[in-house]
Amino acid sequence: MLELTERQWALFDYVKEMHGEQKRKYTGAPYYTHLLSVAARVEQYVQHGYETEIALCHDLIEDTECSLADLSSKLMSLGYSVEEDVEILEGVDDLTDKYTHERYPDLNRAQRKKLESARIIASRPVAQTVKYADIIDNITSVIEHDPGFARVFAREIDSYLWKIDKGNQKLYAECCRAFNQIKAQLGLEKEKIEQ
C-alpha cells in the first residue's frame, strides 16, 4: 500500500487537480490512478529520495497545462528545498515526451518514438527507475485492453528498455521480467528490434 507523507499528499492533490477529468484510455478510470500505481511500485525501491514525487508528477508537463516553472512554484510552496525542487524537476523533465505530434507534426510515430528512445536512454538513473514502473503499468493495461496496439507499443519499448539500466536494479529486473512475459504472450520473443 502506498504511504505518502503530508507534503507528498499535498503534491498529489495538486497533480490530481491539474489532470482534472482526464481518464485512463482503456478503463475510463481517473487518470490519477495510473500515477498512484506508478508511485506505489516505485515507493518499494526508493534509492535517491524523490522517486515517489517524480512518479506522481511524471505525466504532468506533457498531459496538462502545468509547466516546470508552475511545478517548481508548487514544490517550493509545499516546503521542498531548492535542491529537492531541482532533483524532482530534472526527473519529471527526463520523463516528459519532447517529440510529440504537436511539436513535430511532420514526423510519424515511429520517427518520434525513435527520437524519444534516444532521449530516455540518456536520462538520469532516478528517472529510469520511475520509467520502469511506468512501463509495467502501461504495458499491462495495453496488453489487456488493446492487444493489437500492444505489439506496436512492445516494439517501441524493446528499442530502449535494454539500454536504460542505470536505475534501481531490482525494479529494472522486475520490469524486464514482466516485459519478456508480455513479449512471449504477443509472440515477439524471437523478434530482433532494429536499434
Side-chain angles (χ1 to χ4, degrees), residues 8 18 35 52 54 126 165 180:
Q8 286 173 327
M18 293 304 297
L35 307 173
T52 303
I54 294 166
V126 67
D165 58 356
N180 279 330

Side-chain angles (χ1 to χ4, degrees), residues 127-175:
Q128 290 186 14
T129 296
V130 175
K131 187 67 174 176
Y132 308 150
D134 188 40
I135 289 169
I136 293 168
D137 196 61
N138 283 329
I139 195 73
T140 303
S141 177
V142 172
I143 188 82
E144 181 180 346
H145 300 287
D146 192 350
F149 178 66
R151 297 175 68 80
V152 172
F153 192 52
R155 286 182 181 109
E156 291 170 354
I157 294 168
D158 209 24
S159 73
Y160 66 83
L161 178 59
W162 316 109
K163 297 177 183 176
I164 58 166
D165 58 356
K166 305 294 186 274
N168 180 282
Q169 293 302 293
K170 289 181 182 176
L171 184 53
Y172 182 59
E174 181 183 334
C175 181

Side-chain angles (χ1 to χ4, degrees), residues 94-121:
D94 278 354
L95 294 167
T96 299
D97 284 351
K98 305 293 190 275
Y99 298 98
T100 62
H101 177 69
E102 294 74 29
R103 284 182 161 175
Y104 297 90
D106 295 337
L107 299 180
N108 65 34
R109 181 181 174 93
Q111 292 167 320
R112 291 191 316 273
K113 291 302 176 180
K114 185 174 184 178
L115 292 166
E116 277 301 324
S117 293
R119 196 185 61 69
I120 200 69
I121 288 166

